[in-house]
């Protein structure tokens, strides 16, 4: 789908030295991370650790102050969400889903990338049919002509993920996919993520629901105040391990500071 | 109009009578509601006076509604994206006066005069759109400015006086007066109004533009995230609104044989009421242009009833107020007041 030379041994996306500031706040202090083909990479960390900012940079919604991206080994500039979707095959599923509640499911799925005849006429029937196909592939009962605003949170989440399948995007980014949904629907979403993995897609997801992260992810990157503190393979990992990785460093530093203050003469 | 339907299995919370009535009349945004209102108004009008249903009266009704229909179509574009255009009545008066002024006082041939007027209006509308989209001044404020400013322009054009062919000697007729003639027995004004409505609705339904405009009204952030150029689209809708306001002004000038600076007073709010009645919520995001046109027709019927009953024209304001309240209630969905 793109003309970039592809080195298939390289990670599908690589990030080096990514820095992002918002005014006086530094959200990312130099992120180095590889995203490998067909993995499910989880990103965990405390609030404010920079997880959402990182995804926003990957999708082109914000631009980094410094750092570089590589797509399959080849340096790229990530400029805008629209171009990222088309050129790099990255589909971003936002926490607030970025969909219009007044429009139908199929109108939302094709928004901005409509199937057209003669360049300007919408092929409504074709879009509706294609949307129906993808929804059926995902094993949901959602029909393309339903109004999006009337769907439950979980159903909307599935529709948002469907956009990635619809346009055959290879890299799917998810920001808190199970945060605002019922437990039952969360299972549907997790199963869908598993499906994406089976279809050969690469998935990156942010979640504070550590049990969900452990359920679907193959690797987990731990963000701590704007840096990648650790990257763990999901082998026999427990929630306690993750929590320690997210906060343990800080707790250890605080304890070391406290111990130092207990030494006489160090004030 | 197809494309959207309700998900089945209504929740247990939505079985009240007002909600059921609301569902029967079609969901918010569908064109069934204005049609229902229109039929209801037509029946009431006929009951009030049999003169209503006479061919000549219906013809007059359609002709006198044609200007508001054209204004409402333009307003519909603006409200669909969640903005508002309060200035359309002043643009109608000003650009109607401009066309008359060019033709009568300066002998500009009809073609260039109309073209210049329309182009001028579209450029002005685009400027309004830029102020809203790029400078981030709320549309309410910008178009309140055009409402006042262009009322002034209309008044200043001929020293506060009207313009007609006999404003100069020897009299110079409006070349575009042909707009008020008939083709095959139907007034050209009706043809233009219907044509504008149909073309606008076809564009909204059968090109991606409709979904784009609605997405901005529904969730602008989402629209931007998928890469839509929301700023350019906002500029477009204000350009359309201004252009159609100018067209309505030209139509009015042709119809009356003269144009007054105070033409169309109150029409901005009637156009907005028509759009809301037609099914586009105040925040935009859904609805049809045809609905807005039907809403304009509904207001025309109300005005017609007032005339037929011999009531003073002041009653129009009260009735439009009532219509607006009803429109506001039904736009909330199912007559529930929040």
């Amino acid at each position: 789908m793109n003309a970039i030379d592809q080195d298939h041994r390289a990670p599908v996306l690589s990030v080096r030295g990514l820095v992002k500031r918002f005014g006086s706040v530094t959200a990312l202090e130099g992120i180095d991370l590889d995203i490998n083909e067909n993995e499910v990479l989880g990103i965990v960390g405390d609030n404010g650790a920079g997880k959402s900012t990182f995804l926003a940079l990957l999708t082109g919604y914000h631009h980094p102050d410094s750092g570089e991206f590589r797509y399959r080994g080849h340096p790229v500039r990530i400029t805008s969400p629209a171009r990222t979707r088309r050129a790099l095959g990255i589909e971003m599923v936002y926490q607030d889903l970025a969909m219009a509640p007044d429009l139908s499911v199929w109108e939302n799925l094709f928004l901005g990338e409509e199937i057209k005849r003669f360049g300007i006429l919408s092929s409504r029937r074709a879009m509706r049919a294609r949307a129906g196909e993808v929804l059926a592939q995902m094993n949901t009962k959602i029909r393309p002509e339903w109004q999006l605003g009337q769907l439950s949170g979980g159903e909307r989440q599935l529709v948002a993920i469907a956009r990635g399948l619809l346009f055959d995007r290879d890299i799917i980014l998810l920001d808190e996919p199970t945060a605002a949904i019922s437990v039952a629907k969360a299972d549907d979403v997790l199963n869908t993520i598993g499906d994406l993995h089976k279809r050969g897609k690469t998935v990156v997801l942010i979640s504070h629901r550590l049990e969900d992260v452990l359920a679907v992810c193959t690797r987990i990157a731990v963000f701590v105040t704007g840096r990648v503190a650790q990257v763990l393979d999901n082998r026999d990992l427990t929630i306690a391990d993750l929590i320690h990785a997210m906060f343990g460093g800080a707790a250890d530093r605080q304890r070391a500071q406290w111990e130092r203050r207990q030494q006489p003469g160090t004030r | 109009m197809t494309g959207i339907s309700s998900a089945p299995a209504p929740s247990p919370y939505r079985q009240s009578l007002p909600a059921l009535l609301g569902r029967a009349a079609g969901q918010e945004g569908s064109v069934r509601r204005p049609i229902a209102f229109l039929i209801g108004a037509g029946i009431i009008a006929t009951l009030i006076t049999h003169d209503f249903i006479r061919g000549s009266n219906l013809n007059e009704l359609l002709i006198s509604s044609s200007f508001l229909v054209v204004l409402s179509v333009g307003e519909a574009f603006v409200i669909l994206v969640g903005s508002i255009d309060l200035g359309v009545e002043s643009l109608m008066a000003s650009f109607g006066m401009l066309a008359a002024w060019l033709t009568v006082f300066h002998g500009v041939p009809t073609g260039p005069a109309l073209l210049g007027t329309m182009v001028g209006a579209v450029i002005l509308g685009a400027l309004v759109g830029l102020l809203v989209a790029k400078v981030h001044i709320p549309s309410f404020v910008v178009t309140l400015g055009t409402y006042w400013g262009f009322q002034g322009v209309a008044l200043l054009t001929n020293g506060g006086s009207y313009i007609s062919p006999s404003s100069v000697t020897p009299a110079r007729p409006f070349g575009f007066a042909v707009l008020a003639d008939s083709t095959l027995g139907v007034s050209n004004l009706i043809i233009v109004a219907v044509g504008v409505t149909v073309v606008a609705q076809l564009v909204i339904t059968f090109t991606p533009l409709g979904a784009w405009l609605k997405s901005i009204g529904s969730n602008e952030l989402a629209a931007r995230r998928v890469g839509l150029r929301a700023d350019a689209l906002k500029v477009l809708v204000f350009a359309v609104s201004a252009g159609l306001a100018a067209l309505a002004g030209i139509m009015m000038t042709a119809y009356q044989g003269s144009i007054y600076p105070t033409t169309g007073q109150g029409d901005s709010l009637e156009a907005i009421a028509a759009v809301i009645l037609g099914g586009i919520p105040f925040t935009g995001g859904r609805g049809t242009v045809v609905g807005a046109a039907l809403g304009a027709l509904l207001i025309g019927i109300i005005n017609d009833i007032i005339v037929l009953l011999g009531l003073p024209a002041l009653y129009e304001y009260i009735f439009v107020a009532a219509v607006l309240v009803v429109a506001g209630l039904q736009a909330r969905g199912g007559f529930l007041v929040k």
Side-chain angles (χ1 to χ4, degrees):
Chain A
M1 91 185 77
N2 51 64
I4 301 172
D5 275 336
Q6 297 183 15
D7 177 353
H8 287 279
R9 293 152 303 153
V12 64
L13 260 187
S14 273
V15 158
R16 290 291 177 270
L18 215 56
V19 175
K20 180 63 183 172
R21 289 179 210 99
F22 294 105
S24 56
V25 175
T26 304
L28 298 175
E29 292 188 11
I31 300 288
D32 295 325
L33 192 57
D34 286 336
I35 299 169
N36 299 320
E37 180 123 39
N38 195 219
E39 71 172 342
V40 182
L41 178 69
I43 298 184
V44 301
D46 200 3
N47 289 335
K51 315 187 294 288
S52 291
T53 307
F54 176 63
L55 244 51
L57 291 176
L58 277 186
T59 194
Y61 193 67
H62 288 307
H63 298 144
D65 293 307
S66 62
E68 72 157 16
F69 297 101
R70 277 175 185 265
Y71 179 80
R72 299 194 192 278
H74 194 100
V76 289
R77 274 182 9 129
I78 297 187
T79 46
S80 77
R83 286 204 202 108
T84 320
R85 295 168 107 194
R86 268 160 260 206
L88 303 179
I90 298 179
E91 181 71 38
M92 171 82 201
V93 179
Y94 294 89
Q95 191 169 4
D96 63 17
L97 303 180
M99 294 198 292
D102 292 289
L103 270 51
S104 65
V105 167
W106 69 265
E107 285 173 318
N108 269 291
L109 285 175
F110 281 98
L111 193 64
E113 296 180 88
E114 290 83 359
I115 302 176
K116 294 187 274 240
R117 269 198 315 245
F118 314 117
I120 52 163
L121 291 179
S122 295
S123 301
R124 296 161 60 92
R125 221 174 306 161
M127 286 192 270
R128 210 173 345 195
R130 183 79 193 98
E133 276 167 28
V134 169
L135 291 168
Q137 268 174 31
M138 291 171 68
N139 276 320
T140 87
K141 299 247 176 7
I142 303 170
R143 299 204 45 76
E145 63 271 8
W146 286 356
Q147 188 202 331
L148 193 95
Q150 293 186 326
L151 299 181
S152 69
E155 289 167 329
R156 287 190 230 188
Q157 188 68 253
L158 292 175
V159 171
I161 294 175
R163 264 205 288 239
L165 289 172
L166 189 64
F167 296 104
D168 208 24
R169 308 233 146 95
D170 288 331
I171 306 169
I172 316 260
L173 312 175
L174 298 150
D175 193 343
E176 298 288 356
T178 53
I181 338 176
S182 66
V183 172
K185 282 285 156 50
D187 278 342
D188 282 341
V189 172
L190 292 176
N191 288 335
T192 305
I193 294 174
D195 260 348
L196 293 174
H197 174 60
K198 285 192 206 112
R199 285 167 197 265
K201 310 279 183 201
T202 305
V203 178
V204 179
L205 67 93
I206 296 176
S207 183
H208 67 272
R209 305 247 307 232
L210 301 178
E211 59 274 22
D212 291 344
V213 171
L214 289 175
V216 289
C217 297
T218 54
R219 268 195 328 153
I220 301 170
V222 183
F223 275 46
V224 176
T225 49
R227 289 187 182 279
V228 178
Q230 293 181 58
V231 181
L232 306 163
D233 277 329
N234 189 5
R235 262 181 240 141
D236 307 320
L237 274 185
T238 64
I239 292 185
D241 294 329
L242 288 179
I243 293 181
H244 180 81
M246 285 161 60
F247 301 104
D252 289 347
R253 271 202 305 280
Q254 277 174 1
R255 187 188 307 133
Q257 255 180 355
W258 182 85
E259 280 175 1
R260 255 203 328 273
R261 286 206 204 105
Q262 306 319 304
Q263 304 294 341
T266 49
R267 275 291 185 130
Chain B
M1 100 171 237
T2 58
I4 297 188
S5 65
S6 298
S11 85
Y13 303 106
R14 287 195 270 116
Q15 300 298 354
S16 59
L17 179 62
L20 284 174
L21 280 178
R23 293 240 300 276
Q27 61 162 266
E28 302 123 55
S30 100
V31 79
R32 267 189 266 173
R33 283 198 186 178
I35 290 178
F37 281 135
L38 214 51
I39 294 175
I43 292 174
I44 294 176
T46 312
L47 289 174
I48 291 179
T49 162
H50 290 307
D51 281 339
F52 179 77
I53 208 87
R54 280 183 23 206
S56 58
N57 184 59
L58 289 178
N59 193 43
E60 253 326 292
L61 170 66
L62 289 175
I63 290 175
S64 57
S65 302
S66 64
F67 320 103
L68 190 61
V69 164
V70 170
L71 277 185
S72 302
V73 168
E75 189 74 47
F77 275 77
V78 172
I79 296 187
L80 264 184
V81 302
S83 296
I84 194 169
D85 193 341
L86 294 168
V88 289
E89 67 187 59
S90 306
L91 296 182
M92 180 168 87
S94 288
F95 285 98
M97 293 217 78
L98 178 64
W101 183 79
L102 288 172
T103 310
V104 171
F105 288 128
H106 295 273
V108 177
T110 307
L114 292 187
L115 187 64
T117 301
M118 295 293 293
V119 167
V122 165
I123 291 176
L124 179 79
L127 279 173
V128 169
L130 283 172
L131 286 174
V132 173
K134 295 289 195 191
V135 186
H136 302 295
I137 306 175
S139 60
F140 189 93
V141 174
V142 179
T143 60
L144 199 55
T146 54
Y147 166 79
W148 286 112
F150 280 85
Q151 219 169 64
V153 167
L155 285 166
L156 286 171
T157 307
N158 195 23
S161 178
Y162 67 90
I163 300 180
S164 80
S166 43
S167 294
V168 294
T169 36
R172 253 198 216 122
F174 294 140
F176 49 86
V178 68
L179 268 178
D181 292 339
S182 302
T183 306
L184 301 174
V186 180
S187 168
N188 291 339
L189 294 169
I190 299 179
I191 295 174
V192 170
V194 169
V196 164
T197 305
V198 167
V199 168
Q201 185 63 66
L202 288 177
V203 166
I204 296 275
T205 304
F206 292 107
T207 73
L209 185 66
W212 294 352
L213 296 181
K214 289 182 198 173
S215 71
I216 295 176
S218 183
N219 183 349
E220 184 171 331
L221 186 55
R224 288 180 191 270
R225 280 196 175 139
V226 300
L228 292 185
R229 289 164 53 207
D231 291 342
L233 290 170
K234 285 185 180 178
V235 168
L236 175 71
V237 297
F238 283 101
V240 167
S241 169
L244 289 178
L247 176 62
I250 293 169
M251 287 163 67
M252 181 75 84
T253 310
Y255 177 63
Q256 290 176 160
S258 61
I259 179 89
Y260 287 75
T262 50
T263 297
Q265 276 187 345
D267 279 4
S268 289
L269 293 176
E270 281 192 356
I272 293 168
V275 169
I276 309 276
L277 267 179
I280 299 179
F282 201 57
T283 46
R286 61 164 81 203
T288 62
V289 165
V290 166
L294 293 178
L297 201 53
L298 180 61
I299 293 178
I301 291 180
I302 293 171
N303 291 340
D304 199 34
I305 295 175
I306 293 170
V307 166
L308 289 173
L309 285 179
L311 292 172
L314 302 172
Y315 275 74
E316 172 181 340
Y317 292 104
I318 297 177
F319 277 114
V320 174
V323 151
L324 209 44
V325 170
V326 169
L329 284 175
Q330 68 91 21
R332 285 289 198 177
F335 291 89
L336 294 165
V337 180
K338 278 197 205 163

